Amino acid sequence: MVNTIKEQILKLKKHQFLFEELVKRDFKKKYKRTVLGMLWSLVSPLMQLLVMSVVFTQFFGNNIPHYTIYLFAGNLTFSFFKDSTNGGMHSLMSNSNIITKINLPKYMFLLSKNVASLINFGLTLIIFFIFTLCDGIPVTLKFTALVYPVICLIIFNIGCGLILSALFVLFKDIQYLYDIFTMMLSYLSAIFYYTGNYSPLAQKLFYLNPLYVYITYIREIVIYNQIPDMMTHLLCVGYAFVAILTGALIYKKYNYKFMYYM
């Protein structure tokens, strides 16, 4: 497996220039012909936060400390996941004109989508930290621990993107099913409500949702200034590993079929 990873890294280095151009194209394409351009990557999450704060504060935020940051952390994490996986799902079909003509590693197109989403996430994260300071939350050394869930989330997103892109090539209806799934997942990720009011069993069941685990980790660090327990750490890396392994196996199994459906 280690040798396989090394081979794929070498392939990426071989096509480094093309990969960089794909990242630039994917990032710029999202805001093409818009007045604000890339500023939408900052304005859009702020507008979403404003709407959600107005709507949910009166219903769910009265008993939650730093509710705006609580809401922002959940929305930021989920938006990164949704943007990354949606882009990943369409990465093969949207580049079919290139894939059918040139022999390139197909996952390279998916990775470029993920890097573009990561840039958006990074820009929004800066705004998140500014909001954190404005809300009276001190930035401590524990904030460096945020690197762990972010890396796990990136790997998880890539794994989900591999699965979705392969399924989308073979089964076009997956895009509509995924829209319904992500809507359901957003309600199950406790983005705008507090899970402490639920029974102990229900609280444990929330950890079956990978997005809830990543969101909880970030909230524990930022809002409560504490490092999550070992179980949360294991779940973070476990979900990431299962997603990337499953995605890699699906790609390996169906890679030769992709050309027939493009």
Side-chain angles (χ1 to χ4, degrees):
M1 184 175 179
V2 175
N3 290 332
T4 303
I5 294 173
K6 286 182 179 179
E7 288 176 8
Q8 303 309 321
I9 292 175
L10 289 174
K11 285 183 180 179
L12 276 179
K13 286 184 177 179
K14 182 180 178 181
H15 302 287
Q16 182 178 348
F17 175 76
L18 177 58
F19 181 73
E20 290 174 354
E21 291 302 310
L22 286 171
V23 172
K24 292 176 184 177
R25 183 203 65 178
D26 291 336
F27 185 70
K28 292 177 180 178
K29 187 178 179 180
K30 187 175 182 179
Y31 305 108
K32 188 178 181 181
R33 296 178 182 174
T34 59
V35 176
L36 294 179
M38 289 185 290
L39 283 176
W40 275 114
S41 61
L42 303 177
V43 175
S44 181
L46 289 177
M47 292 178 69
Q48 291 179 31
L49 178 65
L50 176 62
V51 172
M52 294 178 75
S53 296
V54 171
V55 173
F56 295 123
T57 297
Q58 297 301 319
F59 297 99
F60 303 100
N62 293 331
N63 299 320
I64 302 177
H66 303 289
Y67 181 70
T68 300
I69 304 303
Y70 183 93
L71 186 63
F72 202 162
N75 191 49
L76 171 67
T77 307
F78 187 82
S79 294
F80 176 40
F81 164 77
K82 187 176 180 180
D83 183 48
S84 179
T85 53
N86 266 323
M89 178 168 58
H90 295 90
S91 60
L92 294 182
M93 291 306 299
S94 62
N95 291 285
S96 58
N97 58 330
I98 301 176
I99 295 172
T100 53
K101 296 175 182 176
I102 306 174
N103 184 22
L104 294 168
K106 297 178 182 64
Y107 59 82
M108 185 170 69
F109 299 97
L110 180 138
L111 290 179
S112 71
K113 295 284 187 181
N114 275 266
V115 173
S117 296
L118 181 60
I119 294 171
N120 274 325
F121 175 73
L123 292 172
T124 312
L125 197 62
I126 295 172
I127 303 299
F128 174 68
F129 287 137
I130 294 173
F131 267 66
T132 299
L133 290 170
C134 292
D135 205 32
I137 299 176
V139 176
T140 66
L141 285 175
K142 290 181 181 178
F143 274 48
T144 56
L146 291 173
V147 173
Y148 180 78
V150 170
I151 290 176
C152 289
L153 180 58
I154 292 170
I155 296 171
F156 179 76
N157 289 347
I158 293 172
C160 290
L162 288 169
I163 297 169
L164 289 167
S165 61
L167 291 176
F168 185 60
V169 171
L170 306 172
F171 181 54
K172 298 297 184 293
D173 290 347
I174 194 69
Q175 61 181 323
Y176 305 110
L177 295 173
Y178 191 62
D179 284 340
I180 297 170
F181 174 76
T182 51
M183 181 180 68
M184 179 186 70
L185 191 64
S186 68
Y187 290 120
L188 295 176
S189 298
I191 294 174
F192 53 83
Y193 59 88
Y194 182 55
T195 58
N197 299 324
Y198 290 85
S199 67
L201 176 60
Q203 290 183 43
K204 290 180 181 178
L205 290 175
F206 272 103
Y207 283 89
L208 295 175
N209 177 359
L211 268 297
Y212 175 77
V213 176
Y214 296 125
I215 290 170
T216 298
Y217 195 115
I218 293 171
R219 285 170 174 166
E220 288 287 322
I221 295 290
V222 176
I223 299 174
Y224 305 110
N225 194 32
Q226 59 185 22
I227 303 294
D229 57 27
M230 184 55 67
M231 181 56 68
T232 304
H233 283 81
L234 292 175
L235 286 173
C236 279
V237 71
Y239 283 131
F241 178 76
V242 169
I244 197 73
L245 181 62
T246 304
L249 289 174
I250 289 175
Y251 251 61
K252 185 176 181 180
K253 184 177 181 179
Y254 294 105
N255 184 49
Y256 73 96
K257 289 186 176 182
F258 292 158
M259 298 292 289
Y260 297 108
Y261 290 87
M262 289 183 176

